[in-house]
Each structure stands twice: as C-alpha cells, then as structure tokens.
Amino acid sequence: MLSRAEIEGRETQLFRQTGYKLPARMVRLRSDDQLDDETLRPIAEQAWAPDAVRFTDLSGDHRSEQPVMQTTTALVLLSGGLDSTVCLAWALERYRTVETIGFDYGQRNKVELSARKKVLTEMKKRFADWRKRLGPDHVMDISSFGRMLDSALTRDKPIEARPGQLPTTFVPGRNLLFFTCAAAVAYPRDITTLIGGMCETDYSGYPDCRYGTLQALQKALSLGMEKEFRIEAPLMWIDKADTFKLARELGGEAFVELIVEETHSCYLDVRSQRHAWGYGCNRCPACELRRKGWEAWRSAPS
C-alpha cells in the first residue's frame, strides 16, 4: 500500500528530475488516502517509465518553480498555429538551443506556412532571451503526401464530423510522418528531443494526437534509428484555455498578443476576419476550439 504522502513524494521527485507532473486524470487519484499496488502500479509504470512521453500539467502550485535549463538542443514541430507556438516558447525556457521544423504537406491552409515564418521573426524581435536560443529553421516539402489523401485539409471538400467517424479533416498518418521526418533531420544533428503540440484534451479526436500513439512512436523511432529519442508533448493533458494561460506565463501579454496577431489555426485559410482570439472563419472546428479556449481563459478568475 502506498500512502498519499508517498505518492506526492514520487510526484515531487518526478517534477524535480524532469519538470513534469502527473496529468490531471492521474492526480485525481490522490483524493484517496490509500491506494493499493494493483491500482497504482499501471499508473506509476506509465508515468515513470523511462520511455514515457513527457507532458506538463497545470494543476497545483508547481508553476512557480523555475524549469531546469537543459544543455542540449531540442527540435520543435512548428506549424504556425497556437499550440506549436506555445510549445516553442515552452522549449525556449528549457533548452539551450531550440531548432524548428515545418512541413509543406500539401495542406489546404497554406497561410500557416507564412504564419510560422512570421512567428519566428516576431519572437526573435520581441524576446531577446528567446532570440539567443533560437537555432536554424527547417522546412520539408512533402506535398506529394497530401496529394495522395482524401482529406478536407488537403482537398476542397466539406468539413464534416459524422457520429462514430473521424472528422473529414483527419489526415491519416500526418503526425507519424512529421515525427519520423523530424527524427531523420535530428539524427545527424545529434538532437534527441522532439517536441510537438499534440493534445488529448479538447481536440478533434485524431488518433495520432493521442498519448498512446506518441509513446509507441517514440519507441519505434528509437529502435528504428538506434538512438534514444524523446518525444515531449507539453500540452497533452491541458485544454485551450490553459494553453492561453500557459502562453501568458511564458511570455506575458506581449506573447499573447503575438499569438493573436501572427499565429494561424483556421482550416479555411481565412485571414480577412479578425477576432479577439485571432484570425479565422469562426466556423471551422479549429476556430471553434480556439475561440472557446480564449473565452474560457479570459472569463476565468485571475
């Protein structure tokens, strides 16, 4: 039997070593004073396994603690959207050097490719400390991949979400390919940390955004390249409201302003309509998630 104090002690050790706490669904188990080994073991094995994908959680008061600066380089998958931009700032607070990679995969919303360039330019301009740590940016042309797919993000077709089915915006294998390409770029540069903005909280249900998928992919990449890669998904267990909250904690209102003005999430490539939360059609699922997250964050008690 592990007591509540013992569980919290292991959480503290985990946080000090890696900067991460248990996700909210695991933290809730602490409401019990005692947890038997049978209940706790699979949870502990997942959270403390050497090959576990790393995440962050905004519950508790550990936000006030300063992250430990790593002396290594990380590679961030930067699309130019809200989530990946927040992940970039998160990485810049934790790694000596941060490189970025983006993909032209034949996406319908081409504006995100120009948005990511603007994000990098403005981050360098507005944040001196981040500018010092920003390394090279890489862009891969894998547009032939998108031309082979029948997705609403790569073809001019309706955006729909039917009961019991994945939405038409699902791009099969996209994140699997992104991380594989990123690992291939990282390999000769001796980079072993790959960071992505995947989330399993308020998302469109894409299976390649889920924790289990990334954990399996991390293991496959490490085995397939005979190098120990580590995938970090700092937003995995938080919603869009907490993503905006994290953005302000990382870079203040100046960073929130940058996100609103420069990042792009809209599936329909709309930049002509400006809202409090940024640019977009205000109708597609990506805009809806971003708008609701913004509104929930702004209306929450400070």
Side-chain angles (χ1 to χ4, degrees), residues 49 59 65 76 82 117 130 143 148 266 276:
S59 60
E65 298 195 42
V76 175
L82 163 66
K117 292 181 182 179
W130 291 353
S143 53
M148 299 172 64
C266 179

Side-chain angles (χ1 to χ4, degrees), residues 86-101:
V86 173
C87 284
L88 175 56
W90 181 90
L92 288 166
E93 289 292 306
R94 286 162 173 78
Y95 289 90
R96 180 185 61 191
T97 306
V98 178
E99 300 188 15
T100 48
I101 186 167

